[in-house]
Amino acid sequence: MSSPERTELLVLDGVLTADQARRTVRGLLDVQRADGAIPWFRGHHLDPWDHTEAAMALDVAGEHEAADRAYAWLARHQNADGSWYAAYHDGDADDVTDRGRESNFVAYIAVGVWHHYLSTGDDTFLDRMWPVVCAAVAWVLRLQQPGGQIGWKREDDGTPVDDALLTGSSSVHHALRCALAIAEQREEPQPDWELAVGALRHAVRRHPERFLDKSRYSMDWYYPVLGGVLRGDEATERIAAHWDTFVVPGLGVRCVDPNPWVTGGESAELALALWAVGQSDRALTILQDIQRLRDPATGLYWTGYVFEDRAVWPEELTTWTAGSVLLAVAALGGDEATCAVFGGGGLPGGIEPDCPH
């Protein structure tokens, strides 16, 4: 289990005690399969993005061997073209339930790998995962559009979908910066990646028209901040602009406006974004507000709460919700790897295009 020192890092007033932190980590380990896979919950599917988020949460708890097994699972199941499928059935990794391949799902491996390396200092791990990251980034960048935005998926038959999602592209921006950090650590410059991340950041900052309109979703509101595209006044202004739309005082963050449904994952991610731009008090309040979603028996968290009905919905205890809570708590607690990855100050920024458009 996690060391006492790591558990103390996850203690946060009104959010987690040391015993609760240990129970949550145990809950994640109980769901992880022997082959390293981390499904949403037992009997449900696994997707590469949420699998990686849960692995990162294991690292903040000091469960490095379990996290390493999670990344080894990804390495073994990477497609020949560098991608992963969108969903795999729990119990049989070869039973693919969604053969679409989503760009942000594929890119996120770079965030997890860099976080694991910063958590462990394991050069052998970085050597082993470098070809995996390179292949994933190459696959993602083949979906980059002339305007810098990233097409959000390839269909089952390989047909590219050129439409871009603001949330997904913001997540890819974060992943590309982590990939560049890995390249710098290995002293293997990647100028094409630098240009790609600069063009992507320019598109997110300056050209909302290049993305599908998903403004009803809270992720489109905070992800440009969480993904490190916006900082300073731009981030502060974006957070302020839609705070009252999505934040329900005392309950957390709506997933979709105007639905009366707050979700743990979105709330914890917003808390992480708030921490990243210096609003730690607000971040703490958000995390305290969602503790009604915690299941004491397992330490995991229900996905969401329909406040008009005073009902948990759906009745699913998801690893990715617990993972997002642990990552937000780790950032507020000063975990060096998590702060470096999500604070973003030390991540390479790429080269933004020198143009007026």
Side-chain angles (χ1 to χ4, degrees), residues 31-267:
V31 176
Q32 186 179 31
R33 300 195 318 235
D35 65 357
I38 310 175
W40 284 20
F41 51 89
R42 280 302 180 94
H44 198 59
H45 75 248
L46 170 156
D47 75 69
W49 200 103
D50 291 309
H51 168 92
T52 299
E53 183 173 51
M56 294 168 69
L58 291 174
D59 267 325
V60 302
E63 296 288 350
H64 302 311
E65 187 276 334
D68 189 281
R69 287 191 291 113
Y71 293 115
W73 187 95
L74 286 171
R76 289 195 305 273
H77 293 88
Q78 187 174 37
N79 294 321
D81 64 3
S83 69
W84 288 271
Y85 294 118
Y88 301 79
H89 187 269
D90 179 31
D92 184 355
D94 296 323
D95 184 4
V96 179
T97 57
D98 184 346
R99 291 187 173 272
R101 288 160 288 162
E102 301 186 19
S103 52
N104 66 309
F105 280 17
V106 175
Y108 209 62
I109 181 69
V111 181
V113 166
W114 186 235
H115 183 263
H116 184 76
Y117 175 73
L118 293 178
S119 298
T120 63
D122 187 347
D123 290 310
T124 301
F125 168 82
L126 207 63
D127 292 343
R128 187 171 74 247
M129 295 302 294
W130 173 242
V132 178
V133 171
C134 285
V137 169
W139 186 90
V140 169
L141 292 185
R142 286 194 288 272
L143 284 169
Q144 188 163 35
Q145 305 302 300
Q149 70 274 25
I150 306 290
W152 79 276
K153 69 180 294 187
R154 286 186 183 272
E155 301 285 9
D156 293 16
D157 63 1
T159 302
V161 177
D162 295 339
D163 291 332
L165 300 173
L166 185 62
T167 294
S169 284
S170 297
S171 178
V172 171
H173 173 269
H174 185 202
L176 290 176
R177 293 184 70 197
C178 289
L180 281 170
I182 297 168
E184 282 192 1
Q185 178 65 27
R186 292 182 52 83
E187 298 182 349
E188 298 193 35
Q190 302 293 325
D192 289 347
W193 298 4
E194 294 186 50
L195 293 169
V197 74
L200 176 55
R201 182 170 59 253
H202 179 79
V204 173
R205 290 181 65 224
R206 301 294 183 222
H207 292 282
E209 76 282 358
R210 294 178 183 170
F211 301 90
L212 295 176
D213 182 6
K214 301 290 183 180
S215 56
R216 291 178 57 231
Y217 292 81
S218 60
M219 287 191 295
D220 260 30
W221 164 49
Y222 66 76
Y223 245 91
V225 179
L226 182 61
V229 180
L230 302 181
R231 285 293 185 263
D233 290 344
E234 286 183 315
T236 301
E237 290 167 8
R238 188 173 186 87
I239 293 296
H242 301 291
W243 182 270
D244 292 337
T245 300
F246 291 112
V247 177
V248 183
L251 293 175
V253 178
R254 294 179 195 263
C255 179
V256 186
D257 177 50
N259 296 359
W261 182 44
V262 293
T263 50
E266 276 82 350
S267 297

